[in-house]
Amino acid sequence: MRVERALYTILALSWILWQGAPGTAQQNAGDPGSATGAAVVSSTASVDVPSASAQVPAQPAPVPAATQVPVPTATHTPLPTPTPTPTSTTTPTSTFTSTATYTSTPTFTVTSTPTPTSTFTPTPTSTPTPLGAAHFYDRLIDLDRLATLEQPGVAAKQFSSYNRESRYDPDKDEYIGWDANGDAGYYIRVEPDTGEAVMAEMEGPGCIWRIWSANPKGRIRFYFDGATTPSLEFDFNDLFSKDKSPFPRPLVWQRRADLGGDNPASNCYMPIPFAKSCKVTSDKAHRQYYHIGYSLFPKDTRVSTFRLERTPEEEAALQRVCNVLLQPGVDPQGADGLQWVEKAESLAPGQSLAVADLKGPGTIRQLFAKLASQDRYARRKVLLQIFWDGNEIPAVEAPIGDFFGEAWQENPYKSLPMGIGDDLNYCFWRMPFHQSARVVVTNQGEHPANLHFKAGWLPGDLPAGATLFHARWRRDISSSEFDYPILDCTGSGRLVGAVLYPDNLVGGWWGEGDEKIYVDGEKFPSFFGTGSEDYFGDAWGIRDFANPYHGCSSKGDWEKVRRQSLYRWHIADDIPFAQSLRFTMENYAAHHAGLPKNISAPWLTGIRLPVERISSSLFRSASESRRDPRFPERWMPNPPVFESRPLPSSK
């Protein structure tokens, strides 16, 4: 994909579940930028803004405690018949409507060689039953699972068509061609006897969770468990087509098939498990873009290899999961016995208010909020903070709009764990706490802010390995760093998503940068992507759409709208780490001009982190004065400083 001259502001969010060794999450606070465009709130903008940590107090002044309002009946009933959130009647912008129902996939004629007969013998009573298809279907909507640590030995990785000129030289301990673009047509190898291009090669047991392509071409073949002939073979484009795919919607999505137009951006979230190994090939080397994301399990894990045919029980499980995904906005795992805290308050400028003050142990399972203010970009001027277990440093610190996934205008969208409705924004990430939970909001705007807040929580002991939720946000008004850091933390946990808010100052294409995710100190990333828009499930630019796991909630095409909001959730395909995780995204605009940026990072942790390990100003939210877009229409940055250099240490 071609890189054009562009500038943008970025605001990124990432959610992580983590626990174990005391850790940090480091995020760079950038230099302040220039002054405002049309209809700004403040008429001034400093070129030398002080450190953000000096402007946002770590602990607000004492504020009134919230009142707990018991609710005798839970808002949501358990699956399989979830009920919509009672306060929200918004029709989602997603192509998935709340009235849709799943229908069984019709029989397809697939060119394939039958999967070799399984070598498994009947399972003795002393050995575990193999993980079957229903297990992997259920994981697609399992938010409860993410609130505990992963078992040791599970790894998540990705194969892609990234430019192979980018490589790490261990002998010299340096990165070569690290800014190479042109990420199409690269494969592991081409088989000399068949001419097939190998896209992925995995030694199991494991499961493929996501297949993406910007331009699916030719035929895709799957070889399971050491088979020498294809176990499955499909036309690669048909794999994503709603009319021809062997997999049901919404587990497959293609922009041109679902929304019209010519863009073939394609995603498949159908779980494809394998017992021993899986090789994925293309019939030949095409100039195509692709991602194949997967998990590997401990070698003694017993897994039933994927097959097209489903038992009645598996079909019922798939139907239940698809119906949940077709009705985003409803908690996929509703619970009885929730207790509720609810506040409806008007916050004066500068006022802080504790909207919830809970005693543990317990788990916040649902958060709802709605904000109204005369301030422009008011969603960025009311700060949300959550303090776990008496810690003086907030675990959650982000503007309310950025936290709920739409920073700019509150455009309605619905995804599986997060969304925005006309009545209330919702969040279904699980938030366990051991001793206490204190939720504070602060109005940093210039006008009163009316806030409606609700939290549904479940008292009770926590499971082993329970985690705490953290969320952090920052804004970098300018940055010329090529591998722009989204998250850098130590400890153990799970990466479960990211949100990006670009502010495209000069038009043209702002994206193109590859995501790079390093797990447990590895020198070469487990995930090396092909472009910013590709990570978020689109291609050839990005435009508005809303799916359960990925989307762009901003209205309009990227060429016609300046500011956008993008999200990607890792639910079944979360990325566990035992020691550390580093997440960056290439900043190609730095080649042409300085890059104004916003960044936001929410995540979850399982222990009270030492204050001295997380109090750095690099880890703090930016002050309100730096959140409002303040660039004149003809603003241009200073000449950039860009160099392709070895990655800095993650320590």
Side-chain angles (χ1 to χ4, degrees), residues 90-95 255 259 405-414 420 422 501-502 510 538 542-546 551-567:
T90 304
T91 301
T93 57
S94 167
T95 58
R255 173 172 282 281
L259 301 180
E406 171 49 85
W408 307 109
Q409 300 295 338
E410 198 178 40
N411 293 318
Y413 82 96
K414 289 188 177 182
I420 291 176
D422 284 342
Y501 303 113
W510 56 262
D538 210 342
I542 194 161
R543 11 191 107 62
D544 70 314
F545 68 105
C552 173
S553 59
S554 304
K555 296 291 186 182
D557 197 307
W558 60 271
E559 294 179 301
K560 301 174 183 177
V561 61
R562 172 173 161 180
R563 301 180 178 102
Q564 294 181 289
S565 299
L566 323 173
Y567 65 88

Side-chain angles (χ1 to χ4, degrees), residues 17 79 138-148 324 330-334 363 365-366 415-418 426-432 467 494 496 548-549 569-572 604:
L17 297 158
L79 291 173
D138 288 342
R139 183 160 154 166
L140 294 170
I141 59 172
D142 191 350
L143 299 180
D144 291 347
R145 179 187 69 89
L146 299 175
T148 57
V324 169
V330 176
D331 189 333
Q333 295 164 299
T363 301
R365 297 180 63 88
Q366 301 176 12
S415 73
L416 182 68
M418 301 277 284
Y426 67 86
C427 167
F428 297 143
W429 295 113
R430 312 310 190 207
M431 305 182 186
T467 60
R494 307 175 189 263
V496 295
Y549 303 128
W569 312 130
H570 298 267
I571 306 298
L604 303 108

